[in-house]
């Protein structure tokens, strides 16, 4: 049962990656039709699922493939760097979205 749960996390990560690629493909077809993409929330729609899916896949694969300890530590370090990068990008995108939607006071 535990092995199935590990592989289900990998499958969910793959689904997030595929969803992100599908959203990016859909945005490209909409731009070809003449609609402008919403740049404020594009990160949350396209890039966040991709990065989260990669993090989920990277975190489970070394254990499922019975990798050695040094390989597992390298992958965990890369996964931590990806997590920090995602947090920084989410904070920047949220700041940009909320700043754009706040009312401007003009004197």
């Amino acid at each position: 049962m535990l092995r199935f749960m590990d592989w289900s996390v990998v499958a969910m990560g793959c689904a997030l990656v595929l969803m992100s690629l599908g959203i990016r493909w859909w945005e490209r077809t909409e731009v070809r039709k003449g609609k402008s993409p919403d740049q404020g929330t594009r990160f949350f729609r396209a890039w966040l699922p991709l990065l989260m899916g990669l993090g989920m896949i990277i975190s489970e694969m070394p254990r499922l493939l019975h990798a050695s300890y040094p390989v597992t530590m390298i992958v965990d370090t890369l996964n931590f760097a990806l997590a920090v990068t995602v947090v920084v990008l989410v904070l920047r995108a949220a700041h940009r979205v909320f700043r754009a939607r706040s009312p401007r006071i003009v004197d």
Side-chain angles (χ1 to χ4, degrees), residues 43-96:
F43 173 76
F44 294 111
R45 279 194 323 252
W47 287 102
L48 188 61
L50 175 71
L51 295 174
M52 286 178 53
L54 286 176
M56 291 171 72
I57 293 168
I58 290 172
S59 67
E60 292 293 325
M61 287 308 287
R63 187 165 29 117
L64 291 173
L65 298 176
H66 303 292
S68 62
Y69 182 75
V71 171
T72 304
M73 291 307 296
I74 290 170
V75 170
D76 284 346
T77 304
L78 291 174
N79 199 20
F80 179 73
L82 179 65
V84 170
T85 304
V86 167
V87 168
V88 169
L89 291 175
V90 165
L91 291 175
R92 285 183 60 207
H95 181 270
R96 188 177 306 132

Side-chain angles (χ1 to χ4, degrees), residues 2-72:
L2 186 60
R3 193 109 166 125
F4 171 75
M5 291 173 61
D6 290 341
W7 280 107
S8 67
V9 171
V10 172
M12 192 182 316
C14 291
L16 281 171
V17 169
L18 290 174
M19 181 184 73
S20 174
L21 294 175
I23 289 171
R24 293 187 73 209
W25 174 78
W26 182 261
E27 282 182 352
R28 286 185 181 182
T29 59
E30 293 294 317
V31 168
R32 286 186 196 139
K33 292 179 183 177
K35 296 180 182 177
S36 64
D38 182 16
Q39 293 295 329
T41 59
R42 185 168 190 265
F43 173 76
F44 294 111
R45 279 194 323 252
W47 287 102
L48 188 61
L50 175 71
L51 295 174
M52 286 178 53
L54 286 176
M56 291 171 72
I57 293 168
I58 290 172
S59 67
E60 292 293 325
M61 287 308 287
R63 187 165 29 117
L64 291 173
L65 298 176
H66 303 292
S68 62
Y69 182 75
V71 171
T72 304

